[in-house]
Amino acid sequence: MLVKEYRICMPLTTEEYRVGQLYTISKHSHQESEKGEGVEVVKNEPHEDPVHGPGQFTEKRVHLSSKLPSWARAVTPRIFYITEKAWNYYPYTITEYTCSFLPKFSIYIETKYEDNCGDSENIFHSDKILGDHEVSFLDIAFDEIPERYYRSLEDPRFFSSAKTGRGPLREGWRQHTKPIMCSYKLVTVKFEVWGLQTRVEQFVHKVIRDILLIGHRQAFTWVDEWCGMTMEEVRRYERETQEATNEIIGMVAPTISVSEVGQPTATHSAPASAPSTPLSDEAPDFLAPPKARPRKKSAPETLTLPALRERASAE
């Protein structure tokens, strides 16, 4: 297995990001879905943990068949999805990704949120980590992402929030920006196949890095859309987008409970959920000759949700 820790600072408070995270995940999942493809919400219900207390459990299926690159479609079933299970005990969350087609592959992500600039050491106190692990600071404004996901409106270097007055972000912004918070993510990738393990695990971490940058950039540059929403309002928005997304995918939408608290449901051994980014059409390094991958510094092209936004405005 390959373990890395990512630290992503945001010009927000942890309480603000609690709402912003839920909004961003819901909107991004809806945008990435189309008929028969995308993120299907299977469960979204209150959950009680004996250690972490009350939280929210979600289970999703990320349908990827048509979005897989050609080299992957050749070796996967016609109907292909990844299962995401997430336990949200904010400000602590766990997310787990598995695939029935690849039983030796899994991703496990522990996340903690704190109001600081990423200077908390050994925040996870994890006995599962053998030896030292790599710690990477991701800069939402100046770290590079693949060029195909760039959108100028979602570039933190140019974005200025009309509601909060925050942004644009300049060089060294993490040292002087207030408020500031940090997402600490301990990511464990396993692919226990002899001869491929190291290269696959390294490739998956590269993909995760891009997803984390894109998702956190969107959360900040969409701040004027979710700023001022209460938890009740964002949960309602989450429910509406989940139902709309399931309808787009063509599934029968399950009854979804999005209550913030409630009686304990069936026990789920504990993993919050990150936006799903389409995979590259290029084969990874271990399946194709190396290629120069142009990259730019900002966020991906996105769509809008006019119907849902009009409904939210009317309310």
Coordinates of all heavy atoms in Angstrom, one line a residue, residues 247-288:
E247 N -32.3 10.5 -11.4 CA -33.2 10.5 -12.5 C -32.5 10.6 -13.8 O -32.8 9.9 -14.8 CB -34.2 11.6 -12.4 CG -35.3 11.7 -13.4 CD -36.3 12.8 -13.2 OE1 -36.3 13.4 -12.2 OE2 -37.1 13.0 -14.2
I248 N -31.4 11.4 -13.9 CA -30.6 11.5 -15.1 C -29.9 10.2 -15.4 O -29.9 9.8 -16.6 CB -29.6 12.6 -14.9 CG1 -30.2 14.0 -14.9 CG2 -28.5 12.6 -16.0 CD1 -29.3 15.2 -14.5
I249 N -29.4 9.6 -14.4 CA -28.7 8.3 -14.6 C -29.6 7.3 -15.1 O -29.2 6.3 -15.8 CB -28.0 7.9 -13.3 CG1 -26.9 8.9 -12.9 CG2 -27.3 6.5 -13.4 CD1 -26.2 8.6 -11.6
G250 N -30.9 7.4 -14.8 CA -31.9 6.4 -15.2 C -32.2 5.4 -14.2 O -32.8 4.3 -14.5
M251 N -31.8 5.6 -13.0 CA -32.1 4.7 -11.9 C -33.4 5.1 -11.2 O -33.8 6.2 -11.3 CB -30.9 4.6 -10.9 CG -29.6 4.4 -11.5 SD -29.5 2.7 -12.2 CE -27.8 2.8 -12.9
V252 N -34.0 4.1 -10.5 CA -35.1 4.5 -9.6 C -34.5 5.0 -8.3 O -33.8 4.4 -7.6 CB -35.9 3.2 -9.3 CG1 -37.0 3.6 -8.3 CG2 -36.5 2.6 -10.6
A253 N -34.8 6.3 -8.1 CA -34.2 7.0 -6.9 C -34.7 6.4 -5.6 O -35.9 6.3 -5.4 CB -34.6 8.5 -7.0
P254 N -33.8 6.0 -4.7 CA -34.3 5.5 -3.5 C -34.8 6.6 -2.6 O -34.6 7.8 -2.8 CB -33.0 4.9 -2.9 CG -31.9 5.7 -3.5 CD -32.4 6.1 -4.9
T255 N -35.5 6.2 -1.5 CA -35.9 7.2 -0.6 C -34.7 7.6 0.2 O -34.1 6.8 0.9 CB -37.0 6.6 0.4 OG1 -38.1 6.2 -0.4 CG2 -37.5 7.6 1.4
I256 N -34.4 8.9 0.2 CA -33.2 9.4 0.8 C -33.5 10.2 2.0 O -34.3 11.2 1.9 CB -32.4 10.3 -0.2 CG1 -32.0 9.4 -1.4 CG2 -31.1 10.8 0.4 CD1 -31.4 10.2 -2.6
S257 N -32.9 9.9 3.1 CA -33.0 10.7 4.3 C -31.8 11.5 4.5 O -30.7 11.0 4.4 CB -33.2 9.8 5.6 OG -33.0 10.5 6.7
V258 N -32.0 12.8 4.6 CA -30.8 13.7 4.7 C -30.9 14.5 6.0 O -30.4 15.6 6.2 CB -30.7 14.7 3.5 CG1 -30.4 13.9 2.3 CG2 -32.0 15.5 3.4
S259 N -31.6 13.9 7.0 CA -31.6 14.6 8.3 C -30.2 14.7 8.9 O -29.4 13.8 8.8 CB -32.5 13.8 9.3 OG -33.8 13.6 8.7
E260 N -30.0 15.8 9.6 CA -28.7 16.0 10.2 C -28.5 15.1 11.4 O -27.4 14.7 11.7 CB -28.6 17.5 10.6 CG -27.2 17.9 11.1 CD -26.1 17.8 10.0 OE1 -26.5 17.6 8.9 OE2 -24.9 17.9 10.4
V261 N -29.5 14.8 12.2 CA -29.4 13.9 13.3 C -30.6 13.0 13.2 O -31.6 13.2 12.6 CB -29.4 14.7 14.6 CG1 -28.2 15.6 14.8 CG2 -30.7 15.6 14.8
G262 N -30.5 11.9 14.0 CA -31.6 11.0 14.0 C -31.3 9.8 14.8 O -30.2 9.6 15.3
Q263 N -32.2 8.8 14.9 CA -31.9 7.6 15.6 C -30.9 6.8 14.9 O -30.8 6.8 13.7 CB -33.2 6.8 15.8 CG -34.2 7.5 16.7 CD -33.7 7.7 18.1 OE1 -33.1 6.8 18.7 NE2 -34.0 8.9 18.6
P264 N -30.0 6.0 15.6 CA -29.0 5.2 15.0 C -29.6 4.3 14.0 O -30.7 3.6 14.3 CB -28.3 4.5 16.1 CG -28.6 5.4 17.3 CD -29.9 6.0 17.1
T265 N -29.0 4.1 12.8 CA -29.5 3.2 11.8 C -28.6 1.9 11.9 O -27.8 1.8 12.8 CB -29.4 3.8 10.4 OG1 -28.0 4.2 10.2 CG2 -30.3 5.0 10.3
A266 N -28.8 1.1 10.9 CA -28.0 -0.2 10.9 C -26.5 0.2 11.0 O -26.0 1.1 10.4 CB -28.3 -1.0 9.7
T267 N -25.8 -0.6 11.7 CA -24.4 -0.4 11.9 C -23.6 -0.5 10.6 O -23.7 -1.4 9.9 CB -23.8 -1.3 13.0 OG1 -24.5 -1.2 14.2 CG2 -22.3 -1.1 13.2
H268 N -22.8 0.5 10.4 CA -21.8 0.5 9.3 C -20.4 0.7 9.9 O -20.1 1.7 10.4 CB -22.1 1.7 8.3 CG -23.5 1.7 7.8 ND1 -23.9 0.9 6.8 CD2 -24.6 2.5 8.1 CE1 -25.2 1.2 6.5 NE2 -25.6 2.1 7.3
S269 N -19.6 -0.3 9.7 CA -18.3 -0.1 10.3 C -17.6 0.9 9.5 O -17.5 0.9 8.3 CB -17.5 -1.4 10.2 OG -17.4 -1.9 8.9
A270 N -17.1 1.9 10.3 CA -16.4 2.9 9.7 C -15.1 2.4 9.3 O -14.1 2.6 9.8 CB -16.3 4.2 10.5
P271 N -16.2 4.6 6.0 CA -15.6 5.8 5.6 C -16.6 6.8 5.1 O -17.6 6.8 5.3 CB -14.7 5.4 4.5 CG -14.4 4.0 4.5 CD -15.5 3.5 5.2
A272 N -16.1 11.5 4.1 CA -17.0 12.4 3.5 C -16.7 12.3 2.0 O -15.6 11.9 1.7 CB -16.9 13.8 3.9
S273 N -17.1 12.6 1.3 CA -17.2 12.3 0.0 C -16.5 13.4 -0.9 O -16.7 14.5 -0.6 CB -18.7 12.2 -0.4 OG -19.0 11.9 -1.6
A274 N -15.8 13.0 -1.9 CA -15.1 14.0 -2.7 C -15.7 14.0 -4.1 O -16.1 13.0 -4.6 CB -13.6 13.7 -2.7
P275 N -15.6 15.1 -4.7 CA -16.2 15.2 -6.1 C -15.5 14.2 -7.0 O -14.3 14.0 -7.0 CB -15.9 16.6 -6.5 CG -15.8 17.4 -5.3 CD -15.2 16.4 -4.3
S276 N -16.2 13.6 -7.9 CA -15.6 12.6 -8.8 C -15.3 13.3 -10.1 O -16.1 14.0 -10.7 CB -16.6 11.5 -9.2 OG -17.8 12.1 -9.7
T277 N -14.0 13.2 -10.5 CA -13.5 13.8 -11.7 C -13.3 12.8 -12.8 O -12.8 11.7 -12.6 CB -12.2 14.5 -11.5 OG1 -12.3 15.5 -10.4 CG2 -11.6 15.2 -12.7
P278 N -13.8 13.1 -14.1 CA -13.6 12.1 -15.1 C -12.2 11.6 -15.3 O -11.2 12.5 -15.1 CB -14.1 12.8 -16.4 CG -15.0 13.9 -15.8 CD -14.4 14.3 -14.5
L279 N -12.0 10.4 -15.6 CA -10.6 9.9 -15.8 C -10.1 10.3 -17.2 O -10.8 10.6 -18.1 CB -10.6 8.3 -15.7 CG -11.1 7.8 -14.4 CD1 -11.1 6.2 -14.5 CD2 -10.2 8.2 -13.3
S280 N -8.8 10.3 -17.2 CA -8.1 10.7 -18.5 C -8.3 9.7 -19.6 O -8.3 8.5 -19.3 CB -6.6 10.9 -18.2 OG -5.9 11.1 -19.4
D281 N -8.3 10.1 -20.8 CA -8.3 9.2 -21.9 C -7.0 8.6 -22.2 O -6.8 7.6 -23.0 CB -8.8 9.9 -23.2 CG -10.3 10.1 -23.1 OD1 -11.0 9.3 -22.4 OD2 -10.8 11.0 -23.8
E282 N -5.9 9.1 -21.6 CA -4.6 8.6 -21.8 C -4.3 7.4 -20.8 O -4.7 7.4 -19.7 CB -3.6 9.7 -21.5 CG -3.8 10.9 -22.4 CD -2.9 12.1 -22.1 OE1 -2.1 11.9 -21.1 OE2 -2.9 13.1 -22.8
A283 N -3.6 6.4 -21.3 CA -3.2 5.3 -20.5 C -2.2 5.8 -19.5 O -1.5 6.7 -19.7 CB -2.6 4.2 -21.3
P284 N -2.2 5.2 -18.3 CA -1.2 5.5 -17.3 C 0.2 5.2 -17.8 O 0.4 4.5 -18.8 CB -1.6 4.7 -16.1 CG -2.4 3.6 -16.6 CD -3.1 4.1 -17.8
D285 N 1.2 5.7 -17.0 CA 2.6 5.6 -17.4 C 3.0 4.1 -17.7 O 3.8 3.8 -18.6 CB 3.5 6.2 -16.4 CG 3.3 7.7 -16.2 OD1 2.7 8.2 -17.2 OD2 3.7 8.2 -15.2
F286 N 2.4 3.2 -16.9 CA 2.9 1.8 -17.0 C 2.2 1.1 -18.2 O 2.5 -0.1 -18.5 CB 2.6 1.0 -15.7 CG 1.2 1.0 -15.3 CD1 0.3 0.0 -15.7 CD2 0.7 2.0 -14.5 CE1 -1.0 0.1 -15.4 CE2 -0.6 2.0 -14.0 CZ -1.5 1.0 -14.5
L287 N 1.3 1.7 -18.9 CA 0.7 1.1 -20.1 C 0.9 1.8 -21.4 O 0.5 1.4 -22.4 CB -0.8 1.0 -19.9 CG -1.3 0.0 -18.8 CD1 -2.8 0.1 -18.6 CD2 -0.9 -1.4 -19.1
A288 N 1.6 2.9 -21.3 CA 1.9 3.7 -22.5 C 3.2 4.5 -22.4 O 3.6 4.8 -21.3 CB 0.7 4.7 -22.8

